[in-house]
């Protein structure tokens, strides 16, 4: 059995989101607290960030309206 080492991703950018800290683990994925360019903060799973499923707090959808 191999254990993955924890890698701090604070400061990394994914779309409009910048990781500002670790928020815990859940749903088989680490959770990260992110700050959006619009100022909102959201909790996002690593899987969502890694697979480009989440790149803003939701403000990008409002821009389309």
């Amino acid at each position: 059995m191999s254990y993955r080492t924890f890698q701090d991703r604070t400061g990394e950018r994914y779309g409009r989101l910048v990781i500002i800290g670790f928020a815990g683990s859940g749903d088989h994925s680490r959770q990260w607290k992110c700050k959006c360019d619009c100022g909102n903060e959201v909790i996002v799973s690593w899987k969502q960030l890694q697979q480009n499923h989440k790149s803003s707090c939701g403000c990008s959808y409002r821009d389309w309206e």
Side-chain angles (χ1 to χ4, degrees), residues 9-19 35-37 49:
R9 299 195 176 274
T10 302
E12 291 184 14
R13 176 175 284 276
Y14 295 89
R16 295 183 183 189
L17 298 175
V18 176
I19 296 175
K35 185 161 189 166
C36 187
D37 288 345
L49 291 171

Side-chain angles (χ1 to χ4, degrees), residues 40-57:
N40 288 333
E41 292 183 1
V42 293
I43 305 293
V44 183
S45 76
W46 172 239
K47 286 181 183 179
Q48 289 176 313
L49 291 171
Q50 193 177 35
Q51 297 171 356
N52 294 321
H53 289 238
K54 188 81 169 174
S55 60
S56 77
C57 68

Side-chain angles (χ1 to χ4, degrees), residues 1 13 15 20 26-27 29 32 36 38 41 43 54 63-65:
M1 177 189 303
R13 176 175 284 276
I20 59 174
D27 297 331
S29 181
W32 295 94
C36 187
C38 74
E41 292 183 1
I43 305 293
K54 188 81 169 174
D63 290 347
W64 287 72
E65 296 180 340

